[in-house]
Amino acid sequence: MTDLAGLYNVAEFRRAAKRRLPKWLFEYIDGATEDEIAVRNNRAAIERIRILPRAPFDVSNRDLGTSLFGRTIDMPMLIAPTGGAGLMWFEAELGLARAAKAAGIPYCMATGSQVPFERVAREVGGRLWFQLYVWPAREITYELVRRVAAAGAEALVVTVDTPVSPNREYNARNGFGVPLRLTAANLTDMTLHPRWLLGTLLKYVLAGGLPEMRNHPPEYNRRRTRPAIAPRLGLSDTVDRAEIQRLRDLFPGKLLVKGIMHPQDALDMVALGADGLVVSNHGGRNLDAAMATFDALPGVVAAVGGKTTIIVDSGIRRGLDIIKARALGADLVQTGRATLWGASVGGEAGVTRVLDLMRHELTTAMANVGVRTIDEITADLLAG
Ligand SMILES: Cc1cc2nc3c(=O)[nH]c(=O)nc-3n(C[C@H](O)[C@H](O)[C@H](O)COP(=O)(O)O)c2cc1C
């Protein structure tokens, strides 16, 4: 077991994940698309932001509480959906949900999870959101939406930035996929990472089989029926505004749209009744020329700020980044890789440590910029 207390920031969690995971899994998390320009731009845009701090003020008793859909969360962040999380750690989705609940923040589960949503709702609870990839088979998609609504999902997060499979060359080279494809190269890779092999894969085998897609209908996970149904449960390149309207009408809870970058799209989604938007370029994983999310955020805020909840992701690595996002007008941020590296290194305890570090960084930075509450973080703090 990795000494979690000996890891002091997200970058160290990334390095520890690299040691524990087989190369093909580490690359699946860490990689982006093509020449990895977008992922670098995301970080560059965040790193460029300068704060003009205020002082002296009494900054004792700092409060990280933030209002989200009429209820308070304990800091302005949530855990973003990451498909395949359960490959990193045995049933990692349960650990992600437990750590989020203990930290007083929501967890958004991905469609492509190794634990079904209903089980997380039953065994963990908390503020659970569900990320939806609309499948070509619409009737099966709507059935899934009804299922997660019945299980108590607070929000449905419809991802709209992935109409086709992105060009991720490392995945193609590594033969990455769920169910796992056991090639000679990745079998060797697995045996070179015994902590993952015994601590994760073996646990699945002992529990009855290889990790599967547990939100998918059972036919998807049976070797005999899978070939016929798999193409109907892939990505859909026909998701349009009318589809968002249908999902809005179908889902009784909060509806968010993830992958919005353009102010006009933001306006259109709010007009359709979206309760929130995620300004996201999927962590730079889809379009390599995508604008950095922190550069796109001000346009979206100018268009719909105050009319809807705005979440930003792609490149958040420090609590300080949350201050930057709030100063630019976002309501909250979400983390994909940061918390997934936490799960990869230590399951629930790893995610908890990552969230603790980010909370500590945030409260330290709040004192240093001269604010006591999240609402006091405004555009006034931005230098120039
Ligand atoms: C391994 C991995 C899997 C992901 N899977 C999904 C997914 O299934 N659905 C989705 O909407 N976003 C997915 N994302 C994107 C995240 O939700 C989020 O937008 C992104 O990770 C944010 O960037 P960050 O990793 O720099 O925090 C995934 C990201 C990673 C790293």
Side-chain angles (χ1 to χ4, degrees):
M1 179 82 181
T2 309
D3 171 24
L4 298 173
L7 301 176
Y8 288 95
N9 55 49
V10 166
E12 291 178 6
F13 267 90
R14 176 181 175 275
R15 285 196 290 276
K18 188 171 189 178
R19 289 192 292 275
R20 183 176 175 275
L21 297 175
K23 178 170 163 290
W24 55 276
L25 265 185
F26 177 76
E27 288 187 352
Y28 164 64
I29 304 179
D30 199 56
T33 188
E34 297 186 348
D35 302 311
E36 309 206 322
I37 297 166
V39 75
R40 286 197 298 277
N41 274 342
N42 282 334
R43 274 307 301 165
I46 295 173
E47 287 172 13
R48 254 196 325 268
I49 294 169
R50 296 286 177 269
I51 301 277
L52 189 59
R54 302 292 310 276
F57 292 108
D58 176 354
V59 289
S60 61
N61 299 319
R62 290 179 301 287
D63 181 358
L64 277 51
T66 310
S67 174
L68 174 63
F69 299 137
R71 285 158 60 206
T72 302
I73 52 174
D74 289 350
M75 57 177 162
M77 69 175 288
L78 72 143
I79 297 183
T82 52
L87 301 178
M88 314 305 157
W89 191 269
F90 182 64
E91 299 183 337
E93 291 87 353
L94 291 168
L96 284 156
R98 285 195 183 106
K101 185 181 177 188
I105 61 171
Y107 164 55
C108 184
M109 172 186 248
T111 296
S113 291
Q114 281 60 66
V115 178
F117 184 82
E118 289 89 339
R119 201 175 141 209
V120 178
R122 202 172 53 241
E123 292 183 21
V124 185
R127 292 186 77 168
L128 292 179
W129 295 10
F130 187 80
Q131 175 271 327
L132 182 74
Y133 275 132
V134 175
W135 290 321
R138 293 296 202 270
E139 68 287 4
I140 307 180
T141 308
Y142 302 149
E143 189 44 45
L144 177 60
V145 172
R146 285 188 206 98
R147 264 176 52 199
V148 299
E154 177 187 23
L156 185 74
V157 180
V158 186
T159 300
V160 296
D161 63 8
T162 317
V164 293
S165 188
N167 193 18
R168 299 188 189 148
E169 293 151 12
Y170 46 92
N171 283 348
R173 187 174 299 111
N174 294 336
F176 176 82
V178 182
L180 303 181
R181 267 170 269 165
L182 301 178
T183 64
N186 64 30
L187 278 171
T188 310
D189 192 0
M190 290 184 211
T191 52
L192 290 172
H193 295 88
R195 285 189 299 161
W196 177 85
L197 185 66
L198 302 176
T200 301
L201 191 64
L202 184 64
K203 284 192 181 162
Y204 281 107
V205 173
L206 293 176
L210 293 174
E212 302 277 10
M213 300 288 209
R214 295 294 180 197
N215 289 315
H216 290 49
E219 304 88 286
Y220 185 88
N221 293 317
R222 287 193 209 109
R223 201 175 303 175
R224 201 169 42 77
T225 45
R226 192 183 144 83
I229 200 167
R232 303 178 62 219
L233 305 185
L235 294 164
S236 169
D237 57 5
T238 59
V239 176
D240 57 7
R241 280 148 164 82
E243 190 57 58
I244 300 298
Q245 186 69 67
R246 271 191 289 279
L247 292 166
R248 171 65 295 179
D249 295 343
L250 183 65
F251 185 73
K254 302 294 177 193
L255 185 98
L256 291 92
V257 185
K258 176 172 183 279
I260 294 296
M261 296 283 283
H262 197 290
Q264 186 60 52
D265 295 334
L267 282 164
D268 292 354
M269 294 304 108
V270 173
L272 288 173
D275 300 291
L277 304 175
V278 186
V279 177
S280 174
N281 60 26
H282 220 104
R285 292 164 74 80
N286 290 359
L287 172 68
D288 211 17
M291 193 176 183
T293 54
F294 275 59
D295 288 336
L297 178 60
V300 173
V301 170
V304 297
K307 298 195 197 92
T308 194
T309 295
I310 301 176
I311 302 171
V312 66
D313 76 12
S314 301
I316 305 290
R317 301 289 180 269
R318 291 272 188 190
L320 177 57
D321 300 339
I322 304 176
I323 293 197
K324 296 176 178 180
R326 287 282 311 194
L328 287 173
D331 294 291
L332 47 158
V333 308
Q334 60 179 18
T335 52
R337 293 181 183 86
T339 29
L340 193 54
W341 286 322
S344 305
V345 171
E348 177 187 348
V351 183
T352 296
R353 173 81 178 146
V354 167
L355 295 177
D356 285 348
L357 289 169
M358 294 194 80
R359 185 188 304 103
H360 172 70
E361 290 165 356
L362 173 59
T363 186
T364 304
M366 282 170 66
N368 284 328
V369 304
V371 299
R372 207 152 35 176
T373 67
I374 297 299
D375 283 343
E376 285 171 16
I377 305 170
T378 64
D380 289 352
L381 288 174
L382 296 172

